[in-house]
Amino acid sequence: MTAPNTDPETETEAPRRARPSARALRTELLVGLALVAGSALLGLVMGLVWHWVAPKVPLYADSSDIYLLDPEGEQSISADLYFAGIGLVCGLLTGGLAYWRSRARQGGIAVAVGLALGGLAGGYVAWKLGVALGPSGNIVATAKSVPLGRTFYGPLALTAKGVLLAWPAASLLALVALTGLFTPKPAALPEYREDDGEPAAEPFPELPADPHPDRPQLREEPRPERRETP
């Protein structure tokens, strides 16, 4: 026995519709993998830019040791700041692009996870590429290859590994901000009663109180019943 005003087929199809289909899950997985792969490729560009703009640490050597040319210089800190700034720009770009491509499907958990993992992958690729393109990490061998007293540069490095989080943090913030600003909110649904499924009727307004309660009230006399004559 089914409840009144209900369709048995609808009741059986409702849980089926609530479950995500295999095709939808596959699409979400592909979106996340595409974001990770695209961010890793963008990390190559970031590594090139970081290697080009980041300041290097100048060194020189004599017959006994290797010294900093500018002991009070801030080249190492500047390299970290440049890396964080470029990562923020890349994060804003990937977050905005991810929202623009996924706004029709109203995003999804795969978009956020893909941005986070992609930002970490892109930052790691940029870090390793920039270090590889920079001066050699073997400072002793580099000092021996140049004349004594000649200035050479130390390897490009990240002294604060926390800057690797700049890219994923910026991408997620951009996604959340754009979603909150430009995603239309669903309209409010009318209230329904559980008994018949119809919209709940608005309550009748209360009648105003009688200003003359002592006045006799008119009563409607009952009408006599009409009897039919045979």
Side-chain angles (χ1 to χ4, degrees):
M1 181 177 180
T2 59
N5 299 330
T6 57
D7 189 359
E9 297 182 358
T10 305
E11 291 182 352
T12 57
E13 291 179 358
R16 192 180 307 170
R17 294 177 181 176
R19 301 173 185 172
S21 62
R23 183 177 181 181
L25 292 177
R26 185 167 56 251
T27 302
E28 292 291 327
L29 182 60
L30 291 177
V31 168
L33 293 177
L35 288 173
V36 174
S39 299
L41 292 177
L42 185 59
L44 297 175
V45 179
M46 176 179 171
L48 292 174
V49 175
W50 182 52
H51 164 70
W52 181 46
V53 301
K56 280 69 173 184
V57 179
L59 305 172
Y60 73 97
D62 56 12
S63 58
S64 59
D65 206 347
I66 301 174
Y67 307 94
L68 290 170
L69 183 63
D70 186 9
E72 297 181 357
E74 298 179 354
Q75 289 83 1
S76 299
I77 300 177
S78 299
D80 294 346
L81 294 178
Y82 274 102
F83 188 92
I86 302 172
L88 289 175
V89 174
C90 292
L92 294 177
L93 289 176
T94 53
L97 181 62
Y99 170 77
W100 179 65
R101 296 294 297 176
S102 63
R103 68 187 188 280
R105 301 193 317 274
Q106 296 182 356
I109 187 63
V111 176
V113 174
L115 285 176
L117 296 180
L120 292 174
Y124 181 82
V125 170
W127 171 34
K128 293 301 182 181
L129 180 61
V131 172
L133 295 176
S136 174
N138 193 344
I139 302 177
V140 177
T142 305
K144 292 180 179 179
S145 64
V146 298
L148 294 178
R150 181 71 61 86
T151 301
F152 63 97
Y153 295 96
L156 188 61
L158 283 180
T159 57
K161 300 302 187 294
V163 296
L164 292 171
L165 300 177
W167 184 336
S171 62
L172 292 177
L173 287 177
L175 178 65
V176 172
L178 292 175
T179 303
L181 290 175
F182 299 106
T183 300
K185 297 181 179 179
L189 298 177
E191 297 182 359
Y192 287 86
R193 292 200 300 259
E194 297 181 358
D195 51 356
D196 54 3
E198 296 181 357
E202 296 182 358
F204 291 100
E206 297 182 358
L207 297 177
D210 190 358
H212 305 285
D214 299 334
R215 185 177 57 183
Q217 302 293 332
L218 296 179
R219 297 182 180 181
E220 185 179 357
E221 297 294 337
R223 298 179 181 180
E225 297 181 0
R226 181 181 299 178
R227 297 181 181 181
E228 297 181 358
T229 58

